[in-house]
PDB file of all heavy atoms in Angstrom:
ATOM      1  N   SER A  18       0.771  -1.195   0.029  1.00  0.00           N
ATOM      2  CA  SER A  18      -0.007   0.004   0.036  1.00  0.00           C
ATOM      3  C   SER A  18       0.864   1.252   0.029  1.00  0.00           C
ATOM      4  O   SER A  18       0.497   2.263  -0.619  1.00  0.00           O
ATOM      5  CB  SER A  18      -0.940   0.021   1.217  1.00  0.00           C
ATOM      6  OG  SER A  18      -1.834  -1.079   1.086  1.00  0.00           O
ATOM      7  N   SER A  19       2.032   1.154   0.609  1.00  0.00           N
ATOM      8  CA  SER A  19       2.841   2.460   0.712  1.00  0.00           C
ATOM      9  C   SER A  19       3.427   2.802  -0.674  1.00  0.00           C
ATOM     10  O   SER A  19       3.911   3.925  -0.849  1.00  0.00           O
ATOM     11  CB  SER A  19       3.978   2.100   1.674  1.00  0.00           C
ATOM     12  OG  SER A  19       4.900   1.054   1.123  1.00  0.00           O
ATOM     13  N   GLU A  20       3.362   1.921  -1.652  1.00  0.00           N
ATOM     14  CA  GLU A  20       3.818   2.231  -3.025  1.00  0.00           C
ATOM     15  C   GLU A  20       2.730   2.781  -3.945  1.00  0.00           C
ATOM     16  O   GLU A  20       3.036   3.165  -5.056  1.00  0.00           O
ATOM     17  CB  GLU A  20       4.515   1.003  -3.604  1.00  0.00           C
ATOM     18  CG  GLU A  20       5.772   0.606  -2.888  1.00  0.00           C
ATOM     19  CD  GLU A  20       6.482  -0.689  -3.394  1.00  0.00           C
ATOM     20  OE1 GLU A  20       5.956  -1.179  -4.486  1.00  0.00           O
ATOM     21  OE2 GLU A  20       7.392  -1.072  -2.827  1.00  0.00           O
ATOM     22  N   ASN A  21       1.511   2.818  -3.495  1.00  0.00           N
ATOM     23  CA  ASN A  21       0.437   3.298  -4.360  1.00  0.00           C
ATOM     24  C   ASN A  21       0.609   4.864  -4.522  1.00  0.00           C
ATOM     25  O   ASN A  21       1.029   5.544  -3.628  1.00  0.00           O
ATOM     26  CB  ASN A  21      -0.945   3.106  -3.706  1.00  0.00           C
ATOM     27  CG  ASN A  21      -1.218   1.585  -3.608  1.00  0.00           C
ATOM     28  OD1 ASN A  21      -0.802   0.814  -4.370  1.00  0.00           O
ATOM     29  ND2 ASN A  21      -2.115   1.328  -2.603  1.00  0.00           N
ATOM     30  N   LYS A  22       0.281   5.337  -5.698  1.00  0.00           N
ATOM     31  CA  LYS A  22       0.412   6.743  -6.045  1.00  0.00           C
ATOM     32  C   LYS A  22      -0.835   7.247  -6.725  1.00  0.00           C
ATOM     33  O   LYS A  22      -1.429   6.495  -7.551  1.00  0.00           O
ATOM     34  CB  LYS A  22       1.612   6.968  -6.992  1.00  0.00           C
ATOM     35  CG  LYS A  22       2.971   6.459  -6.487  1.00  0.00           C
ATOM     36  CD  LYS A  22       3.517   7.433  -5.482  1.00  0.00           C
ATOM     37  CE  LYS A  22       4.959   6.939  -5.054  1.00  0.00           C
ATOM     38  NZ  LYS A  22       5.188   6.968  -3.715  1.00  0.00           N
ATOM     39  N   VAL A  23      -1.315   8.490  -6.481  1.00  0.00           N
ATOM     40  CA  VAL A  23      -2.336   9.032  -7.215  1.00  0.00           C
ATOM     41  C   VAL A  23      -1.905   9.174  -8.710  1.00  0.00           C
ATOM     42  O   VAL A  23      -0.851   9.517  -9.038  1.00  0.00           O
ATOM     43  CB  VAL A  23      -2.673  10.431  -6.650  1.00  0.00           C
ATOM     44  CG1 VAL A  23      -3.729  11.186  -7.548  1.00  0.00           C
ATOM     45  CG2 VAL A  23      -3.202  10.324  -5.242  1.00  0.00           C
ATOM     46  N   GLY A  24      -2.836   8.687  -9.592  1.00  0.00           N
ATOM     47  CA  GLY A  24      -2.523   8.734 -11.000  1.00  0.00           C
ATOM     48  C   GLY A  24      -2.071   7.348 -11.525  1.00  0.00           C
ATOM     49  O   GLY A  24      -2.112   7.133 -12.736  1.00  0.00           O
ATOM     50  N   GLN A  25      -1.697   6.505 -10.627  1.00  0.00           N
ATOM     51  CA  GLN A  25      -1.152   5.236 -11.034  1.00  0.00           C
ATOM     52  C   GLN A  25      -2.273   4.431 -11.833  1.00  0.00           C
ATOM     53  O   GLN A  25      -3.429   4.397 -11.408  1.00  0.00           O
ATOM     54  CB  GLN A  25      -0.794   4.452  -9.748  1.00  0.00           C
ATOM     55  CG  GLN A  25      -0.289   3.092  -9.876  1.00  0.00           C
ATOM     56  CD  GLN A  25       0.036   2.441  -8.545  1.00  0.00           C
ATOM     57  OE1 GLN A  25       0.154   3.236  -7.508  1.00  0.00           O
ATOM     58  NE2 GLN A  25       0.262   1.178  -8.558  1.00  0.00           N
ATOM     59  N   GLU A  26      -1.860   3.752 -12.874  1.00  0.00           N
ATOM     60  CA  GLU A  26      -2.789   2.958 -13.638  1.00  0.00           C
ATOM     61  C   GLU A  26      -3.104   1.648 -12.929  1.00  0.00           C
ATOM     62  O   GLU A  26      -2.186   1.027 -12.326  1.00  0.00           O
ATOM     63  CB  GLU A  26      -2.323   2.546 -14.961  1.00  0.00           C
ATOM     64  CG  GLU A  26      -2.332   3.708 -15.969  1.00  0.00           C
ATOM     65  CD  GLU A  26      -1.929   3.247 -17.368  1.00  0.00           C
ATOM     66  OE1 GLU A  26      -0.739   3.154 -17.601  1.00  0.00           O
ATOM     67  OE2 GLU A  26      -2.813   2.993 -18.163  1.00  0.00           O
ATOM     68  N   VAL A  27      -4.396   1.247 -12.865  1.00  0.00           N
ATOM     69  CA  VAL A  27      -4.818   0.065 -12.176  1.00  0.00           C
ATOM     70  C   VAL A  27      -5.889  -0.657 -13.058  1.00  0.00           C
ATOM     71  O   VAL A  27      -6.468  -0.037 -13.945  1.00  0.00           O
ATOM     72  CB  VAL A  27      -5.344   0.341 -10.849  1.00  0.00           C
ATOM     73  CG1 VAL A  27      -4.285   0.789  -9.821  1.00  0.00           C
ATOM     74  CG2 VAL A  27      -6.559   1.363 -10.782  1.00  0.00           C
ATOM     75  N   PHE A  28      -6.094  -1.938 -12.742  1.00  0.00           N
ATOM     76  CA  PHE A  28      -7.117  -2.655 -13.494  1.00  0.00           C
ATOM     77  C   PHE A  28      -7.732  -3.749 -12.630  1.00  0.00           C
ATOM     78  O   PHE A  28      -7.218  -4.193 -11.595  1.00  0.00           O
ATOM     79  CB  PHE A  28      -6.648  -3.218 -14.775  1.00  0.00           C
ATOM     80  CG  PHE A  28      -5.593  -4.298 -14.693  1.00  0.00           C
ATOM     81  CD1 PHE A  28      -5.942  -5.656 -14.774  1.00  0.00           C
ATOM     82  CD2 PHE A  28      -4.203  -3.988 -14.510  1.00  0.00           C
ATOM     83  CE1 PHE A  28      -4.961  -6.657 -14.673  1.00  0.00           C
ATOM     84  CE2 PHE A  28      -3.291  -5.008 -14.395  1.00  0.00           C
ATOM     85  CZ  PHE A  28      -3.649  -6.346 -14.519  1.00  0.00           C
ATOM     86  N   THR A  29      -8.944  -4.212 -13.051  1.00  0.00           N
ATOM     87  CA  THR A  29      -9.598  -5.362 -12.402  1.00  0.00           C
ATOM     88  C   THR A  29      -9.938  -6.346 -13.535  1.00  0.00           C
ATOM     89  O   THR A  29     -10.106  -5.971 -14.705  1.00  0.00           O
ATOM     90  CB  THR A  29     -10.865  -4.908 -11.676  1.00  0.00           C
ATOM     91  OG1 THR A  29     -11.801  -4.362 -12.643  1.00  0.00           O
ATOM     92  CG2 THR A  29     -10.643  -3.836 -10.657  1.00  0.00           C
ATOM     93  N   ILE A  30     -10.121  -7.596 -13.164  1.00  0.00           N
ATOM     94  CA  ILE A  30     -10.657  -8.582 -14.046  1.00  0.00           C
ATOM     95  C   ILE A  30     -11.771  -9.225 -13.206  1.00  0.00           C
ATOM     96  O   ILE A  30     -11.562  -9.688 -12.090  1.00  0.00           O
ATOM     97  CB  ILE A  30      -9.610  -9.639 -14.477  1.00  0.00           C
ATOM     98  CG1 ILE A  30      -8.385  -8.989 -15.067  1.00  0.00           C
ATOM     99  CG2 ILE A  30     -10.264 -10.677 -15.355  1.00  0.00           C
ATOM    100  CD1 ILE A  30      -7.198  -9.944 -15.255  1.00  0.00           C
ATOM    101  N   GLY A  31     -12.996  -9.162 -13.760  1.00  0.00           N
ATOM    102  CA  GLY A  31     -14.059  -9.711 -12.934  1.00  0.00           C
ATOM    103  C   GLY A  31     -15.268 -10.070 -13.813  1.00  0.00           C
ATOM    104  O   GLY A  31     -15.149 -10.240 -14.987  1.00  0.00           O
ATOM    105  N   TYR A  32     -16.469 -10.160 -13.172  1.00  0.00           N
ATOM    106  CA  TYR A  32     -17.633 -10.627 -13.752  1.00  0.00           C
ATOM    107  C   TYR A  32     -18.720  -9.638 -13.602  1.00  0.00           C
ATOM    108  O   TYR A  32     -19.788  -9.877 -13.057  1.00  0.00           O
ATOM    109  CB  TYR A  32     -18.109 -12.006 -13.202  1.00  0.00           C
ATOM    110  CG  TYR A  32     -17.051 -13.072 -13.429  1.00  0.00           C
ATOM    111  CD1 TYR A  32     -16.020 -13.278 -12.639  1.00  0.00           C
ATOM    112  CD2 TYR A  32     -17.160 -13.862 -14.566  1.00  0.00           C
ATOM    113  CE1 TYR A  32     -15.004 -14.317 -12.833  1.00  0.00           C
ATOM    114  CE2 TYR A  32     -16.249 -14.787 -14.843  1.00  0.00           C
ATOM    115  CZ  TYR A  32     -15.212 -15.067 -13.951  1.00  0.00           C
ATOM    116  OH  TYR A  32     -14.255 -15.993 -14.290  1.00  0.00           O
ATOM    117  N   PRO A  33     -18.508  -8.329 -14.078  1.00  0.00           N
ATOM    118  CA  PRO A  33     -19.595  -7.351 -13.883  1.00  0.00           C
ATOM    119  C   PRO A  33     -20.836  -7.578 -14.680  1.00  0.00           C
ATOM    120  O   PRO A  33     -20.741  -8.045 -15.810  1.00  0.00           O
ATOM    121  CB  PRO A  33     -18.840  -6.081 -14.364  1.00  0.00           C
ATOM    122  CG  PRO A  33     -17.858  -6.587 -15.402  1.00  0.00           C
ATOM    123  CD  PRO A  33     -17.429  -7.830 -14.853  1.00  0.00           C
ATOM    124  N   LEU A  34     -21.927  -7.504 -13.950  1.00  0.00           N
ATOM    125  CA  LEU A  34     -23.225  -7.596 -14.593  1.00  0.00           C
ATOM    126  C   LEU A  34     -23.307  -8.807 -15.431  1.00  0.00           C
ATOM    127  O   LEU A  34     -23.803  -8.828 -16.639  1.00  0.00           O
ATOM    128  CB  LEU A  34     -23.651  -6.369 -15.439  1.00  0.00           C
ATOM    129  CG  LEU A  34     -23.627  -4.999 -14.621  1.00  0.00           C
ATOM    130  CD1 LEU A  34     -23.862  -3.836 -15.550  1.00  0.00           C
ATOM    131  CD2 LEU A  34     -24.780  -5.021 -13.585  1.00  0.00           C
ATOM    132  N   SER A  35     -22.877  -9.929 -15.009  1.00  0.00           N
ATOM    133  CA  SER A  35     -22.692 -11.234 -15.791  1.00  0.00           C
ATOM    134  C   SER A  35     -24.090 -11.670 -16.344  1.00  0.00           C
ATOM    135  O   SER A  35     -24.105 -12.267 -17.387  1.00  0.00           O
ATOM    136  CB  SER A  35     -22.150 -12.341 -14.963  1.00  0.00           C
ATOM    137  OG  SER A  35     -22.939 -12.610 -13.818  1.00  0.00           O
ATOM    138  N   MET A  36     -25.224 -11.323 -15.684  1.00  0.00           N
ATOM    139  CA  MET A  36     -26.500 -11.762 -16.285  1.00  0.00           C
ATOM    140  C   MET A  36     -26.778 -11.028 -17.553  1.00  0.00           C
ATOM    141  O   MET A  36     -27.598 -11.455 -18.355  1.00  0.00           O
ATOM    142  CB  MET A  36     -27.627 -11.571 -15.235  1.00  0.00           C
ATOM    143  CG  MET A  36     -27.885 -10.143 -14.847  1.00  0.00           C
ATOM    144  SD  MET A  36     -26.487  -9.521 -13.887  1.00  0.00           S
ATOM    145  CE  MET A  36     -27.298  -8.440 -12.868  1.00  0.00           C
ATOM    146  N   ILE A  37     -26.067  -9.861 -17.847  1.00  0.00           N
ATOM    147  CA  ILE A  37     -26.296  -9.032 -19.043  1.00  0.00           C
ATOM    148  C   ILE A  37     -25.106  -9.172 -19.965  1.00  0.00           C
ATOM    149  O   ILE A  37     -25.221  -9.431 -21.142  1.00  0.00           O
ATOM    150  CB  ILE A  37     -26.569  -7.574 -18.711  1.00  0.00           C
ATOM    151  CG1 ILE A  37     -27.831  -7.424 -17.892  1.00  0.00           C
ATOM    152  CG2 ILE A  37     -26.552  -6.731 -19.936  1.00  0.00           C
ATOM    153  CD1 ILE A  37     -27.946  -6.042 -17.250  1.00  0.00           C
ATOM    154  N   LEU A  38     -23.917  -9.022 -19.354  1.00  0.00           N
ATOM    155  CA  LEU A  38     -22.687  -9.012 -20.191  1.00  0.00           C
ATOM    156  C   LEU A  38     -22.165 -10.335 -20.489  1.00  0.00           C
ATOM    157  O   LEU A  38     -21.227 -10.494 -21.377  1.00  0.00           O
ATOM    158  CB  LEU A  38     -21.605  -8.148 -19.488  1.00  0.00           C
ATOM    159  CG  LEU A  38     -22.051  -6.673 -19.261  1.00  0.00           C
ATOM    160  CD1 LEU A  38     -20.845  -5.969 -18.540  1.00  0.00           C
ATOM    161  CD2 LEU A  38     -22.337  -5.964 -20.543  1.00  0.00           C
ATOM    162  N   GLY A  39     -22.555 -11.395 -19.830  1.00  0.00           N
ATOM    163  CA  GLY A  39     -22.090 -12.785 -20.065  1.00  0.00           C
ATOM    164  C   GLY A  39     -21.133 -13.254 -19.005  1.00  0.00           C
ATOM    165  O   GLY A  39     -20.748 -12.547 -18.096  1.00  0.00           O
ATOM    166  N   GLU A  40     -20.780 -14.504 -19.130  1.00  0.00           N
ATOM    167  CA  GLU A  40     -20.097 -15.243 -18.153  1.00  0.00           C
ATOM    168  C   GLU A  40     -18.592 -15.187 -18.231  1.00  0.00           C
ATOM    169  O   GLU A  40     -17.874 -15.772 -17.452  1.00  0.00           O
ATOM    170  CB  GLU A  40     -20.564 -16.662 -18.074  1.00  0.00           C
ATOM    171  CG  GLU A  40     -22.030 -16.858 -17.594  1.00  0.00           C
ATOM    172  CD  GLU A  40     -22.218 -16.420 -16.173  1.00  0.00           C
ATOM    173  OE1 GLU A  40     -21.367 -16.561 -15.335  1.00  0.00           O
ATOM    174  OE2 GLU A  40     -23.403 -15.796 -15.936  1.00  0.00           O
ATOM    175  N   LYS A  41     -18.025 -14.571 -19.215  1.00  0.00           N
ATOM    176  CA  LYS A  41     -16.567 -14.428 -19.377  1.00  0.00           C
ATOM    177  C   LYS A  41     -16.078 -13.235 -18.558  1.00  0.00           C
ATOM    178  O   LYS A  41     -16.729 -12.190 -18.421  1.00  0.00           O
ATOM    179  CB  LYS A  41     -16.261 -14.245 -20.869  1.00  0.00           C
ATOM    180  CG  LYS A  41     -16.729 -15.311 -21.785  1.00  0.00           C
ATOM    181  CD  LYS A  41     -15.756 -16.364 -21.935  1.00  0.00           C
ATOM    182  CE  LYS A  41     -16.133 -17.368 -22.983  1.00  0.00           C
ATOM    183  NZ  LYS A  41     -15.859 -18.647 -22.698  1.00  0.00           N
ATOM    184  N   PRO A  42     -14.865 -13.355 -18.084  1.00  0.00           N
ATOM    185  CA  PRO A  42     -14.303 -12.230 -17.257  1.00  0.00           C
ATOM    186  C   PRO A  42     -14.152 -10.953 -18.090  1.00  0.00           C
ATOM    187  O   PRO A  42     -13.844 -11.115 -19.370  1.00  0.00           O
ATOM    188  CB  PRO A  42     -12.957 -12.800 -16.787  1.00  0.00           C
ATOM    189  CG  PRO A  42     -13.000 -14.263 -16.946  1.00  0.00           C
ATOM    190  CD  PRO A  42     -13.978 -14.522 -18.071  1.00  0.00           C
ATOM    191  N   LYS A  43     -14.237  -9.834 -17.493  1.00  0.00           N
ATOM    192  CA  LYS A  43     -14.085  -8.533 -18.177  1.00  0.00           C
ATOM    193  C   LYS A  43     -13.057  -7.645 -17.538  1.00  0.00           C
ATOM    194  O   LYS A  43     -12.862  -7.762 -16.299  1.00  0.00           O
ATOM    195  CB  LYS A  43     -15.438  -7.752 -18.149  1.00  0.00           C
ATOM    196  CG  LYS A  43     -16.653  -8.546 -18.571  1.00  0.00           C
ATOM    197  CD  LYS A  43     -16.692  -8.871 -20.088  1.00  0.00           C
ATOM    198  CE  LYS A  43     -17.998  -9.481 -20.542  1.00  0.00           C
ATOM    199  NZ  LYS A  43     -18.076 -10.894 -20.278  1.00  0.00           N
ATOM    200  N   LEU A  44     -12.365  -6.899 -18.322  1.00  0.00           N
ATOM    201  CA  LEU A  44     -11.339  -5.941 -17.870  1.00  0.00           C
ATOM    202  C   LEU A  44     -12.015  -4.567 -17.573  1.00  0.00           C
ATOM    203  O   LEU A  44     -12.838  -4.134 -18.279  1.00  0.00           O
ATOM    204  CB  LEU A  44     -10.320  -5.735 -18.983  1.00  0.00           C
ATOM    205  CG  LEU A  44      -9.242  -4.621 -18.786  1.00  0.00           C
ATOM    206  CD1 LEU A  44      -8.343  -5.003 -17.656  1.00  0.00           C
ATOM    207  CD2 LEU A  44      -8.547  -4.407 -20.067  1.00  0.00           C
ATOM    208  N   SER A  45     -11.562  -3.968 -16.517  1.00  0.00           N
ATOM    209  CA  SER A  45     -11.963  -2.571 -16.220  1.00  0.00           C
ATOM    210  C   SER A  45     -10.608  -1.852 -15.772  1.00  0.00           C
ATOM    211  O   SER A  45      -9.867  -2.331 -14.940  1.00  0.00           O
ATOM    212  CB  SER A  45     -12.891  -2.532 -14.981  1.00  0.00           C
ATOM    213  OG  SER A  45     -13.097  -1.228 -14.574  1.00  0.00           O
ATOM    214  N   LYS A  46     -10.359  -0.871 -16.523  1.00  0.00           N
ATOM    215  CA  LYS A  46      -9.119  -0.148 -16.319  1.00  0.00           C
ATOM    216  C   LYS A  46      -9.299   1.309 -15.873  1.00  0.00           C
ATOM    217  O   LYS A  46     -10.311   1.882 -16.252  1.00  0.00           O
ATOM    218  CB  LYS A  46      -8.332  -0.173 -17.602  1.00  0.00           C
ATOM    219  CG  LYS A  46      -6.886   0.130 -17.499  1.00  0.00           C
ATOM    220  CD  LYS A  46      -6.220  -0.105 -18.975  1.00  0.00           C
ATOM    221  CE  LYS A  46      -5.025   0.832 -18.975  1.00  0.00           C
ATOM    222  NZ  LYS A  46      -4.510   0.984 -20.282  1.00  0.00           N
ATOM    223  N   GLY A  47      -8.462   1.800 -15.061  1.00  0.00           N
ATOM    224  CA  GLY A  47      -8.553   3.242 -14.632  1.00  0.00           C
ATOM    225  C   GLY A  47      -7.318   3.641 -13.858  1.00  0.00           C
ATOM    226  O   GLY A  47      -6.244   3.133 -14.175  1.00  0.00           O
ATOM    227  N   ASN A  48      -7.480   4.574 -12.965  1.00  0.00           N
ATOM    228  CA  ASN A  48      -6.426   5.156 -12.200  1.00  0.00           C
ATOM    229  C   ASN A  48      -6.714   5.288 -10.752  1.00  0.00           C
ATOM    230  O   ASN A  48      -7.931   5.345 -10.464  1.00  0.00           O
ATOM    231  CB  ASN A  48      -6.002   6.544 -12.679  1.00  0.00           C
ATOM    232  CG  ASN A  48      -5.608   6.501 -14.173  1.00  0.00           C
ATOM    233  OD1 ASN A  48      -6.388   6.589 -15.024  1.00  0.00           O
ATOM    234  ND2 ASN A  48      -4.329   6.459 -14.414  1.00  0.00           N
ATOM    235  N   ILE A  49      -5.801   5.375  -9.837  1.00  0.00           N
ATOM    236  CA  ILE A  49      -6.019   5.741  -8.455  1.00  0.00           C
ATOM    237  C   ILE A  49      -6.231   7.197  -8.482  1.00  0.00           C
ATOM    238  O   ILE A  49      -5.383   8.010  -8.888  1.00  0.00           O
ATOM    239  CB  ILE A  49      -4.784   5.310  -7.641  1.00  0.00           C
ATOM    240  CG1 ILE A  49      -4.585   3.885  -7.591  1.00  0.00           C
ATOM    241  CG2 ILE A  49      -5.022   5.950  -6.174  1.00  0.00           C
ATOM    242  CD1 ILE A  49      -3.454   3.415  -6.731  1.00  0.00           C
TER     243      ILE A  49
END
């Protein structure tokens, strides 16, 4: 946690709204 910086690029891989978007994992990318 001590190495996190504002502006740092981050991402998730998950199953958002799987009942609509499907059962495959999806990428979500952003920043701190």
Side-chain angles (χ1 to χ4, degrees):
S18 294
S19 62
E20 295 178 2
N21 295 334
K22 305 281 185 223
V23 172
Q25 178 180 347
E26 285 187 279
V27 292
F28 67 95
T29 64
I30 304 170
Y32 297 88
L34 302 171
S35 60
M36 65 289 211
I37 297 167
L38 299 177
E40 294 296 324
K41 301 272 187 215
K43 309 292 186 279
L44 170 71
S45 172
K46 198 173 154 199
N48 299 84
I49 295 177

